[in-house]
Amino acid sequence: QVQLVESGGGSVQAGGSLRLSCAASGYTIKSYCMAWFRQAPGKEREPVSTIYTSSGTSYYADSVQGRFTISQDNAKNTLYLQMNSLKPEDTAMYYCAARYTYGGSWYTAADFNYWGQGTQVTVSS
């Protein structure tokens, strides 16, 4: 049984930093592809960043490029998202996702097979 458990969310002031973690069990993060998505109240879930874990190739949404960094620790089977220079518009529930099927895009939620329960990030101005 695959489980993805996010942690590290919280409340921070604008300009601050947080590091999210996603611990995987029943799934090896090197398998193919993992990602972070976010969803703000009243909005659709949107991609934040994706990493193809065998190659290390990563992609970022324009809104977070240069501020967020996705990384992996294969020994801990854990995915991370370092978030710096946070803005109020970054406020959302952040979800970890994993995919073992090939094909699809880095930014389409429907292409991912497994999801965590989410961790809340709140950025105040």
Side-chain angles (χ1 to χ4, degrees):
Q1 181 180 358
V2 175
Q3 280 193 318
L4 303 176
V5 180
E6 302 97 334
S7 62
S11 297
V12 64
Q13 288 191 328
S17 299
L18 286 172
R19 188 177 80 153
L20 306 184
S21 300
C22 172
S25 59
Y27 175 88
T28 302
I29 66 169
K30 288 176 62 177
S31 295
Y32 181 45
C33 177
M34 294 194 73
W36 290 97
F37 286 75
R38 68 186 182 186
Q39 187 168 17
K43 295 188 177 181
E44 293 188 355
R45 191 168 296 191
E46 63 177 9
V48 175
S49 180
T50 294
I51 186 166
Y52 288 83
T53 47
S54 59
S55 67
T57 301
S58 58
Y59 299 89
Y60 296 91
D62 289 344
S63 59
V64 307
Q65 181 75 49
R67 300 187 297 121
F68 291 10
T69 304
I70 193 170
S71 63
Q72 63 192 86
D73 185 328
N74 294 336
K76 295 183 178 180
N77 213 36
T78 299
L79 180 74
Y80 300 100
L81 184 69
Q82 178 67 44
M83 306 186 295
N84 299 328
S85 301
L86 283 161
K87 304 176 180 180
E89 51 263 44
D90 295 318
T91 295
M93 185 72 78
Y94 284 70
Y95 297 92
C96 173
R99 184 164 99 214
Y100 61 83
T101 51
Y102 288 86
S105 74
W106 72 267
Y107 51 83
T108 303
D111 289 342
F112 287 80
N113 307 108
Y114 304 115
W115 291 85
Q117 293 301 305
T119 186
Q120 178 68 38
V121 172
T122 302
V123 184
S124 58
S125 57

